[in-house]
Amino acid sequence: MPNFPLTIIAGSAARKRLASEGWQPQLFTAMVGASGGAKMLSLGHLDRYLFGEYLGRSNHPMELYGSSIGSWRHAALACINPAEAIATLQNRYMNQRWAENDRRSPQAIVDGLCAWVLDSLLTPNNTDHITTNRRFRTHIVTALGLGLNSHQQKPMLALGMAKAAVLNLLDRQLLARSFQRVVFSTGVSKSFVFKDFNTEHVAVSSDNLRSALLASGSIPFLMSGQRDIVGAPKGHYWDGGIIDYHFDFTNRTGEGLVLYPHFTDHVVAGWFDKSLSWRRRMNNNSRQALDNVVILAPSRAYIAALPNAKIPDRRDFQKMPQATRLAYWGECISASQALADAFIEVIEAADPLHFVTGP
């Protein structure tokens, strides 16, 4: 399907279940959300359909694993009205503005904007609903800085990040010397058992939900991060995508399928891996790790037809005048209705695998 807007990649076990049972939402016991900031907007109407109509057809429990913007999207899914919440999140994110003569530091401006975006979700009622939601169990992934990465001061942090990049280049496991994975969870994690790094789970409460979500999206240098989050180990917390950019699916456990609405057709474990071409290639182990995973992503043909032939990304903030960015992002959200329509076509097709490929 060269011009079909949606790329659907399913592992072998996932394809067998889809073939025999169809696209029943209860097949999916977990959802994963990657880091990506403005890339979220590329999924606009697809997310709205998934969070509202599709998952609304069932009431089965699901675990939600997200880093950075993935965790924010999942917070919307765990709100009282998920379809309304994800639309609100998208609109707030798209409409970030600041005065050209703003005298605050760029970091302070970004911190303020991100807090403004997130506060649109975290009303008192939604906060209570997210923390006690029995259907959608939320797991917010963060990276606790170790050593030099526990500092907010840019010179110290720069040295720490450089060291982390070198260690990761040698072996991804060495990244554990620079960062620890801390997952803020509203319940026990069953769909992922994190074996690759020393991982600590912290109970989510109304006292730490906002800080955990802000930490999960705190890109070093661009934002301030979060320090000494209530109920969590002491230290400075950064973007969860540093360790779990697209997630390492060798940590996947459980019998159900994983639904992965994604921005791209490839999976890169950590942020430092995205420029390492050999870690983007699929080998037998990585294919096996995706055995129970179903990825939904904009197709390359769809992306090529977008304005600027790309999906939104955070570099647009620097490269485009605000009016140009707002118009472009709005067009991308509108275009994403084609992704939602394509998914409806997929789940209603006589052959459940008609539009599906393997990893």
Side-chain angles (χ1 to χ4, degrees):
M1 303 296 170
N3 295 316
F4 196 64
L6 202 57
T7 293
I8 304 175
I9 303 169
S12 59
R15 291 197 301 274
K16 289 178 183 177
R17 293 203 61 184
L18 290 172
S20 63
E21 301 174 60
W23 284 87
Q24 302 300 319
Q26 55 266 33
L27 290 178
F28 298 101
T29 57
M31 180 181 283
V32 167
S35 297
K39 294 174 184 176
M40 163 188 72
L41 302 176
S42 68
L43 301 179
H45 285 281
L46 177 61
D47 266 357
R48 296 181 196 186
Y49 180 80
L50 291 173
F51 289 13
E53 172 66 24
Y54 183 65
L55 292 178
R57 298 178 182 180
S58 172
N59 60 4
H60 73 289
M62 292 183 71
E63 291 192 77
L64 314 177
Y65 295 86
S67 62
S68 194
I69 201 65
S71 69
W72 294 25
R73 290 165 57 224
H74 291 172
L77 178 54
C79 282
I80 296 168
N81 186 329
E84 179 182 285
I86 189 62
T88 298
L89 177 63
Q90 293 165 2
N91 288 332
R92 272 281 176 115
Y93 194 100
M94 183 180 74
N95 285 293
Q96 294 177 78
R97 294 180 174 91
W98 61 95
E100 292 186 5
N101 61 352
D102 195 321
R103 295 183 178 181
R104 293 176 296 166
S105 69
Q107 193 175 70
I109 292 173
V110 175
D111 284 346
L113 287 169
C114 288
W116 175 76
V117 172
L118 191 57
D119 287 346
S120 67
L121 286 185
L122 298 184
T123 64
N125 287 341
N126 273 336
T127 296
D128 289 342
H129 201 265
I130 294 167
T131 56
T132 60
N133 196 316
R134 294 186 177 181
R135 181 183 180 192
F136 294 117
R137 194 156 66 243
T138 304
H139 303 281
I140 303 164
V141 179
T142 68
L144 174 61
L146 303 178
L148 293 169
N149 294 304
S150 66
H151 295 273
Q152 189 180 350
Q153 295 85 356
K154 289 185 178 180
M156 304 286 280
L157 182 59
L159 289 173
M161 291 293 284
K163 176 184 175 183
V166 171
L167 290 173
N168 183 79
L169 180 64
L170 296 174
D171 188 331
R172 174 170 155 79
Q173 300 306 311
L174 295 177
L175 188 60
R177 298 183 183 181
S178 298
F179 294 95
Q180 179 187 1
R181 181 193 286 120
V182 178
V183 184
F184 292 81
S185 300
T186 60
V188 177
S189 177
K190 295 182 179 179
S191 294
F192 275 75
V193 176
F194 296 103
K195 305 178 290 291
D196 53 344
F197 287 87
N198 177 25
T199 300
E200 181 154 348
H201 286 267
V202 175
V204 169
S205 70
S206 58
D207 294 326
N208 63 18
L209 174 63
R210 186 176 186 274
S211 295
L213 288 168
L214 284 171
S216 188
S218 288
I219 301 170
F221 306 111
L222 186 65
M223 296 175 66
S224 300
Q226 296 288 304
R227 191 163 193 87
D228 297 341
I229 299 175
V230 173
K234 299 292 185 183
H236 212 86
Y237 288 79
W238 297 108
D239 196 306
I242 292 172
I243 297 175
D244 295 293
Y245 188 57
H246 294 168
F247 283 81
D248 184 347
F249 284 86
T250 60
N251 294 306
R252 164 73 180 136
T253 60
E255 298 298 321
L257 302 185
V258 178
L259 184 61
Y260 194 177
H262 197 15
F263 320 120
T264 181
D265 56 8
H266 62 267
V267 175
V268 178
W271 186 83
F272 289 106
D273 299 321
K274 64 180 184 176
S275 61
L276 307 179
S277 59
W278 61 93
R279 294 195 185 166
R280 295 177 63 163
R281 290 194 293 266
M282 287 282 185
N283 56 35
N284 289 334
N285 287 337
S286 56
R287 287 191 180 91
Q288 186 175 3
L290 294 173
D291 208 29
N292 290 287
V293 179
V294 178
I295 297 173
L296 310 176
S299 71
R300 297 185 183 187
Y302 170 86
I303 293 172
L306 288 175
N308 304 312
K310 72 175 194 65
I311 64 173
D313 63 66
R314 63 182 175 86
R315 290 173 294 184
D316 298 336
F317 283 112
Q318 288 79 40
K319 291 186 174 182
M320 298 180 183
Q322 290 197 61
T324 302
R325 172 180 60 82
L326 291 168
Y328 159 53
W329 283 7
E331 290 181 66
C332 289
I333 289 182
S334 296
S336 70
Q337 182 63 53
L339 301 179
D341 293 342
F343 184 69
I344 294 170
E345 186 176 351
V346 168
I347 64 178
E348 292 181 350
D351 177 6
L353 299 183
H354 181 66
F355 297 96
V356 178
T357 63

